[in-house]
Structure formats: structure tokens, C-alpha cells
């Protein structure tokens, strides 16, 4: 009960199920190992391309791993939303709840669609890059695609450093051996710090 309350706070008391039926959020998302927020719209060509991939991955693999999904529609009218949602085997945020829709987009830094973000049962972000993960790993072998504890900015994946309190070590001028020592030290800190504070989010 306690673990599900954050998801009710996140999505509201009710979600929409297949056929337009209202269901209690607590019941709909019960037992989820992770919840995917799918920001998408029928007018968006990349969304129309990705949705069948996500549906297939969800139906064949991810659903059995405990993933539950919620469509956060960016369609411009309720008719388009209903037609698009009818192709999806998961839940949707009520279309009329536009304030929550906007707040969710702002909370997870959604700049463009499609965006597929995963949160844990506490409502904490697992990854905002799940769209790319579904494409790379459609069977979900590495689901829920938790980001590495320590990222190498030189690899081109900065993660959420603009959104989270983050520790960044700039060490381009030192030797590769010293860089390895620094990375190992940061990993030691992150490994002990992050798991012990599941209610907080930090970046390394």
C-alpha cells in the first residue's frame, strides 16, 4: 500500500483502460516492477513509428517482467487520443487532465516526443531514455535499464546532470591510469551512497 501511494500522487486517482473504462490507479499499477510514461501523439511520425515497436516489445517480453505503461497523450483532441490509444495494450492518463499532463512533461524534462520514461514504484526516475533502450534491447534483457552509477562524459552520455545534484570530476589533463583511479573512487562512493538513499536522486 505504502509503495503504491507515490504512483497515485504521480498519476492521480484514476487511469483509463481499454475501451475507455476508468480504473483506480492503485489497482492498475499494483505489482509493477517499473512504470513507463509514454509521451506520444498520433500526429507525430516518429511516435507512429515507435509505438508498434513498443507494443510488440511490451506484449512479448516487458509485460512479463513487471512493466506497466501509461500513455501521456500529446494529441490535440480527445477523438485523436481515443483512436490512438485504442492501439495500445496499457493504460492512459485521462485526456482531460491536461494540467497533470503538462506537469509530468516538465517533471521528466520532456522536450520532444516520443519519450518513454521509466519510474520505480516510489515514483523515482529510473531512466528517461527508455525509448532508445527498447530499440536496442526489445526483449528487455537488461530491463529496467538502470543507468550506470558513474558515467564517463567523454562517452557522450551525460545522463541527467542538468536535472540532478551531481558530482563531476574533470580530469582530462591527467593520465589514463589516474583517470581510472578517479573513476574507481567515484564508483566506490556512488555504490555506497545511492542504494542507501532510494528516496533521493543523484548523479555521478
Amino acid at each position: 500500500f505504502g509503495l503504491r501511494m507515490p504512483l497515485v500522487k504521480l498519476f492521480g486517482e484514476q487511469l483509463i483502460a481499454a475501451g475507455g473504462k476508468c480504473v483506480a490507479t492503485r489497482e492498475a499499477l499494483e505489482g509493477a516492477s517499473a512504470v513507463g510514461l509514454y509521451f506520444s501523439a498520433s500526429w507525430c511520425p516518429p511516435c507512429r513509428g515507435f509505438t508498434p515497436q513498443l507494443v510488440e516489445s511490451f506484449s512479448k517480453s516487458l509485460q512479463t517482467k513487471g512493466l506497466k505503461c501509461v500513455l501521456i497523450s500529446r494529441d490535440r483532441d480527445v477523438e485523436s487520443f481515443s483512436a490512438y490509444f485504442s492501439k495500445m495494450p496499457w493504460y492512459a492518463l485521462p485526456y482531460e487532465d491536461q494540467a497533470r499532463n503538462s506537469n509530468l512533461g516538465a517533471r521528466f524534462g520532456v522536450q520532444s516526443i516520443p519519450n518513454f520514461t521509466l519510474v520505480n514504484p516510489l515514483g523515482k526516475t529510473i531512466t528517461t531514455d527508455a525509448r532508445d533502450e527498447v530499440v536496442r534491447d526489445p526483449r528487455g534483457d537488461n530491463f529496467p535499464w538502470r543507468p550506470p552509477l558513474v558515467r564517463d562524459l567523454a562517452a557522450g552520455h551525460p545522463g541527467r546532470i542538468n536535472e540532478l545534484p551531481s558530482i563531476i570530476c574533470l580530469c582530462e589533463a591527467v593520465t589514463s591510469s589516474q583517470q581510472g583511479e578517479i573513476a574507481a573512487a567515484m564508483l566506490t562512493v556512488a555504490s555506497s551512497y545511492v542504494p542507501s538513499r532510494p528516496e533521493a536522486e543523484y548523479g555521478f
Side-chain angles (χ1 to χ4, degrees):
F1 179 85
L3 293 180
R4 295 194 295 273
M5 287 302 293
L7 295 179
V8 174
K9 184 176 180 180
L10 191 67
F11 294 108
E13 292 289 340
Q14 291 190 322
L15 295 172
I16 305 299
K21 178 183 177 182
C22 290
V23 295
T25 301
R26 184 177 290 109
E27 295 176 7
L29 302 183
E30 184 174 10
S33 61
V35 178
L37 291 81
Y38 183 36
F39 297 87
S40 187
S42 62
W43 52 261
C44 163
C47 297
R48 294 198 301 269
F50 177 65
T51 295
Q53 291 180 278
L54 181 56
V55 168
E56 181 177 10
S57 181
F58 178 82
S59 300
K60 290 185 176 180
S61 301
L62 300 177
Q63 187 174 21
T64 63
K65 296 176 181 289
L67 177 66
K68 299 198 177 186
C69 296
V70 179
L71 171 66
I72 314 297
S73 174
R74 294 303 168 91
D75 267 307
R76 294 163 179 155
D77 56 75
V78 68
E79 291 79 14
S80 299
F81 155 73
S82 298
Y84 191 43
F85 177 52
S86 69
K87 304 173 184 177
M88 302 177 189
W90 45 69
Y91 302 101
L93 187 75
Y95 182 79
E96 62 272 15
D97 197 351
Q98 290 298 306
R100 190 180 301 274
N101 187 316
S102 297
N103 290 338
L104 288 170
R107 172 170 176 164
F108 296 107
V110 177
Q111 302 293 323
S112 61
I113 56 174
N115 177 283
F116 191 41
T117 289
L118 296 190
V119 299
N120 67 16
L122 292 173
K124 298 296 183 181
T125 305
I126 298 174
T127 177
T128 58
D129 297 322
R131 174 196 177 189
D132 293 339
E133 299 294 351
V134 168
V135 173
R136 285 192 292 258
D137 180 23
R139 295 189 308 176
D141 292 334
N142 297 311
F143 173 83
W145 308 303
R146 297 185 187 281
L149 287 176
V150 175
R151 292 177 179 269
D152 183 356
L153 298 182
H157 299 289
R160 301 170 63 209
I161 62 173
N162 291 327
E163 304 167 41
L164 301 178
S166 301
I167 296 176
I168 301 172
C169 185
L170 304 178
C171 50
E172 294 92 339
V174 302
T175 67
S176 58
S177 176
Q178 289 172 317
Q179 289 177 351
E181 292 174 2
I182 293 168
M186 291 187 70
L187 182 59
T188 298
V189 174
S191 298
S192 62
Y193 193 82
V194 174
S196 66
R197 293 164 174 81
E199 76 286 352
E201 296 181 83
Y202 301 92
F204 291 86

